[in-house]
Amino acid sequence: MNGKNVLGMIFANIHEEALGSLTDLRTMGSVPFCSRYRLIDFPLSNMVESGVTKIGVVTNANFNSLMDHVGTGKPWDLSRKTDGLFLLPPFASNSVTMWGNRIDAIFGNMNFLDHSNQEYVLMSDCNHVLNIDFEKVFDAHEKNNADITIVGVKAKKPTSISSVLVFDKVNSDGKIEEASLDPDANGDVFYSCNILLMKKYMLESLVATAHSKNEVSFQRSIILDCIANKNVYAYDATDCFVGTIDSIQSYYDISMTLLCKDTKNKLFNPSRPIYTKERDDMPTLYGPEGKVVGALVADGCEIKGTVENCILFKGVKIEKGAVVKNSILMQDTVVGEGAKINYIIADKNVNIKSGVELSGAANFPVCLSKDTRI
């Protein structure tokens, strides 16, 4: 199977309720990550690096930031005369402003599917941070003569999002024999990353049937039924770095693991780059009293105070005497003179005044909304 014969579909709004204030004004796909990226960069880059040349981004609400970021798709080589990147507007059968679930979203974009020449569809959400070679998934799908291939990972089951599909029984060839939704589970399980590959005509048929019956759960009404009646295989992505973002806590924990060089190099593999929209800026300026230990620092920052174990996005300013520890500071955040912050997630354009002391905890990072002044 060639990537050019695969149509990509990325769901930008799914699971955004898990991130609270970080998705109040933006989609899950446009949430900033790791000093310079957005979450949508990962599925986009994985698809492009695997030869997929036509990708539709399914949107619902709060997508202005997403549109600004992806633009025409040029950073991912998707600004093309043929195929390329498509932003698919919100639609549902009973509304012109929102879709209610994944079945509505796909059914509302049937026209996009109908007018695509690709034989297969590869679908992905944006809440999984991973770097995967989809060409291996394509090869496994063909080798197994599968109807559906689902990418999964063996790890602790996410608890803060609904409809987590767990593979209860998988045979030696990878065929899923039994699965369940949201089971009570202790320890590691084999669960779906909501990355699915199947033939386009099959997806259209399954979604049309489910929509005609007013079904609302894609996993329950379509996938579980297919596992019982069709050849559905699991592709184990455990060897890749996979971070499932299902809460503010998991967003923080996954981000901070990337301060480890070995972990960071596993996600950001030079042979499969992660592309993003660049904001050109000057190099970071370090003041005479500036001190940085164990941090990821983007371009355009000004550091005159102390930074330890942090992730700083572009344009962050740490004034003289300020101490910032164990925190994630997004674009253009300012920490005033003498301020002390610890275990903080600051969204864009947050301004922390001089002398302020603010602290969360490792198991309870404090999240400051965009444009907050403290």
Side-chain angles (χ1 to χ4, degrees):
M1 184 191 310
N2 189 297
K4 291 185 178 180
N5 198 29
V6 178
L7 171 68
M9 288 188 75
I10 299 174
F11 297 87
N13 288 87
I14 299 289
H15 307 309
E16 60 187 14
E17 70 283 351
L19 288 187
S21 63
L22 290 180
T23 49
D24 281 347
L25 300 174
R26 58 167 72 95
T27 67
M28 173 67 83
S30 53
V31 170
F33 184 79
C34 197
S35 80
R36 58 191 289 248
Y37 299 94
R38 305 289 183 119
L39 292 181
I40 197 171
D41 294 339
F42 295 91
L44 270 177
S45 299
N46 291 333
M47 289 182 182
V48 167
E49 281 295 299
S50 302
V52 179
T53 59
K54 184 173 183 178
I55 300 174
V57 179
V58 183
T59 62
N60 188 7
N62 294 330
F63 49 84
N64 286 343
S65 176
L66 180 73
M67 293 172 64
D68 177 69
H69 180 69
V70 301
T72 62
K74 186 175 180 180
W76 300 270
D77 192 28
L78 290 172
S79 181
R80 299 165 175 247
K81 291 182 178 179
T82 303
D83 294 340
L85 181 70
F86 295 80
L87 283 170
L88 305 177
F91 183 83
S93 60
N94 59 353
S95 170
V96 295
T97 58
M98 296 181 66
W99 42 260
N101 53 67
R102 199 185 301 265
I103 293 173
D104 279 350
I106 298 172
F107 187 82
N109 287 287
M110 281 292 199
N111 192 53
F112 173 71
L113 293 170
D114 289 341
H115 288 83
S116 299
N117 297 321
Q118 287 77 8
E119 184 179 1
Y120 295 88
V121 179
L122 176 64
M123 297 184 291
S124 175
D125 294 344
C126 291
N127 68 314
H128 294 279
V129 179
L130 75 165
N131 191 335
I132 184 172
D133 185 355
F134 281 130
E135 289 183 294
K136 294 181 179 179
V137 179
F138 302 158
D139 291 343
H141 186 83
E142 283 195 323
K143 178 183 176 181
N144 295 326
N145 194 27
D147 294 311
I148 302 174
T149 296
I150 306 174
V151 175
V153 62
K154 295 173 182 175
K156 187 175 180 180
K157 184 179 78 73
T159 58
S160 300
I161 55 177
S162 60
S163 299
V164 177
L165 180 67
V166 174
F167 311 138
D168 298 316
K169 185 177 179 181
V170 179
N171 70 17
S172 58
D173 295 326
K175 187 176 187 296
I176 304 170
E177 297 181 347
E178 295 179 12
S180 56
L181 281 179
D182 297 323
D184 292 330
N186 295 318
D188 289 353
V189 296
F190 194 6
Y191 69 88
S192 167
C193 294
N194 284 336
I195 300 173
L196 294 88
L197 176 68
M198 68 179 77
K199 286 195 172 181
K200 185 179 69 171
Y201 80 84
M202 177 181 291
L203 177 64
E204 292 174 316
S205 175
L206 291 171
V207 168
T209 300
H211 190 269
S212 69
K213 297 178 180 179
N214 293 319
E215 302 285 0
V216 296
S217 173
F218 185 86
Q219 305 278 42
R220 187 178 303 279
S221 303
I222 294 179
I223 300 303
L224 287 181
D225 183 67
C226 287
I227 288 172
N229 299 292
K230 297 182 182 295
N231 293 323
V232 182
Y233 282 77
Y235 181 90
D236 190 353
T238 304
D239 289 342
C240 304
F241 174 91
V242 181
T244 301
I245 297 175
D246 69 325
S247 64
I248 291 289
Q249 184 69 54
S250 62
Y251 172 84
Y252 177 84
D253 291 341
I254 292 166
S255 297
M256 300 309 281
T257 62
L258 297 174
L259 293 175
C260 171
K261 184 177 180 180
D262 291 341
T263 304
K264 179 172 67 68
N265 289 341
K266 191 174 182 180
L267 177 60
F268 298 101
N269 186 339
S271 65
R272 295 194 303 275
I274 303 298
Y275 304 102
T276 190
K277 176 187 175 183
E278 291 288 357
R279 183 182 105 168
D280 294 332
D281 216 325
M282 66 179 185
T284 291
L285 172 66
Y286 297 89
E289 298 179 15
K291 179 182 177 182
V292 178
V293 179
L296 287 176
V297 182
D299 295 339
C301 296
E302 294 182 20
I303 301 177
K304 302 174 184 177
T306 299
V307 176
E308 296 182 9
N309 198 43
C310 292
I311 297 174
L312 306 186
F313 287 71
K314 290 178 181 288
V316 170
K317 294 182 180 180
I318 311 297
E319 299 293 354
K320 183 178 178 181
V323 178
V324 182
K325 297 181 179 180
N326 306 306
S327 296
I328 301 171
L329 307 185
M330 297 184 190
Q331 188 172 303
D332 298 322
T333 290
V334 177
V335 181
E337 288 189 19
K340 293 179 172 61
I341 65 173
N342 194 13
Y343 295 110
I344 300 298
I345 301 173
D347 207 334
K348 295 171 64 175
N349 300 310
V350 168
N351 193 319
I352 299 173
K353 299 297 184 181
S354 299
V356 169
E357 295 189 15
L358 186 63
S359 181
N363 60 354
F364 193 84
V366 174
C367 188
L368 304 178
S369 301
K370 183 178 179 181
D371 298 321
T372 297
R373 301 289 183 266
I374 297 181

